[in-house]
Amino acid sequence: MNVGKFWTVVAFPIVFGLISCGGGGGGGGSTTGSSQVPPPDPGSGFVTVGITDGPTEEVRSLVLNIAHLELGHVDGSVTRIAMGDGPIDLDLMGLQNGTTHELVNRARIPVGQYEWMRLGVDLDNSYLETMGLGGRHGMNMMSHEGLMVHQPFFVSDAEHLRLILDFDLRLALRQRQMGRMGDRWELHPAMRLMEMNDAGGLAGSVSLALVDANNPACDPAEGGNWVYLFVGGESMPDDLSETEIDGIPGPY
């Protein structure tokens, strides 16, 4: 039994354009305006942002209507980058096993330290489809910040920074039973942000003796078998608490 989650490092071409600047004629042969090409703006860099997703078993498709990206500068300003051809409908379930989608390609942004990134999602035009005969469902955003990831990054003058948003749908999507009101699907901002050069892949194998179906001593928990990844060599790994309240690092 093989399990794994992969990210792909994508290289994007750099396109150069020519900028011309001419002066107009005035009386007596004098010129108004400069005849020289202005230098590049020293206060800006470029960013390319892709998105990928991890696997989940309950959902057939989850389509997000994405209109823009927002980047939060340390000085409190917010840079908004609209999707090139208008809002897009992106199915996160199609972004697995190394597949990525490019949201922004080489967008110009001010230099400096950024503290967060947010997906501009319209949930009224987004939906999910569950496995089987579950049909199509709407979702409730459970964070007042929206789909935001708090991960600092720095953009230098004329730098082209390439980033990947790693969306973990297994953690982001939760189903709540509301009694007579039926079920409610909640969307949480379970994302990570990393540089494409730092992204990689991981694969592993699990002994069949550890699979529930082959080991009656195991608890046949709903959702099947799970694999956890821990940092370091903890002798007693913590897979219960969502926060670090006991000093033992939790899993990825």
Side-chain angles (χ1 to χ4, degrees):
M1 175 181 176
N2 292 321
V3 297
K5 181 176 182 180
F6 301 88
W7 297 276
T8 300
V9 178
V10 184
F12 302 101
I14 299 177
V15 180
F16 294 92
L18 297 179
I19 302 175
S20 62
C21 180
S30 64
T31 60
T32 59
S34 172
S35 61
Q36 297 179 351
V37 177
D41 182 0
S44 63
F46 302 91
V47 65
T48 291
V49 181
I51 186 171
T52 189
D53 180 40
T56 187
E57 296 79 21
E58 298 179 342
V59 177
R60 183 188 306 276
S61 65
L62 190 146
V63 176
L64 295 181
N65 182 264
I66 304 175
H68 58 265
L69 275 178
E70 289 182 336
L71 314 178
H73 200 280
V74 70
D75 65 6
S77 63
V78 177
T79 298
R80 175 174 290 192
I81 307 173
M83 299 295 100
D85 297 322
I88 62 172
D89 291 325
L90 183 62
D91 187 358
L92 295 183
M93 294 302 293
L95 303 179
Q96 300 179 4
N97 299 322
T99 302
T100 63
H101 178 86
E102 184 182 276
L103 294 172
V104 172
N105 183 10
R106 199 172 166 79
R108 184 187 294 271
I109 63 174
V111 301
Q113 180 77 30
Y114 290 82
E115 299 296 314
W116 52 264
M117 180 181 294
R118 176 163 50 208
L119 277 176
V121 173
D122 180 5
L123 277 191
D124 290 336
N125 291 310
S126 304
Y127 63 89
L128 68 91
E129 293 179 343
T130 56
M131 301 299 291
L133 301 177
R136 181 175 292 190
H137 307 271
M139 294 167 286
N140 295 88
M141 185 72 70
M142 301 311 297
S143 171
H144 70 278
E145 296 180 330
L147 294 182
M148 177 187 290
V149 54
H150 292 271
Q151 178 64 47
F153 57 94
F154 190 86
V155 178
S156 302
D157 181 25
E159 177 189 13
H160 184 191
L161 185 64
R162 298 172 175 87
L163 300 172
I164 283 284
L165 267 175
D166 180 18
F167 205 104
D168 192 341
L169 192 54
R170 177 177 285 155
L171 295 179
L173 192 62
R174 302 177 190 176
Q175 183 181 16
R176 303 292 186 187
Q177 296 182 352
M178 306 296 291
R180 294 182 180 180
M181 298 176 61
D183 295 346
R184 182 179 73 178
W185 290 91
E186 300 175 349
L187 190 62
H188 298 258
M191 299 183 294
R192 291 187 298 161
L193 185 66
M194 69 191 80
E195 293 192 36
M196 290 186 185
N197 291 338
D198 295 332
L202 179 68
S205 61
V206 179
S207 170
L208 289 178
L210 299 177
V211 180
D212 290 347
N214 298 290
N215 190 345
C218 291
D219 178 18
E222 182 179 355
N225 300 276
W226 298 73
V227 175
Y228 295 88
L229 175 65
F230 294 87
V231 175
E234 297 292 340
S235 59
M236 296 182 62
D238 177 10
D239 63 349
L240 298 178
S241 63
E242 295 183 0
T243 57
E244 306 299 337
I245 59 176
D246 52 10
I248 301 178
Y252 284 99

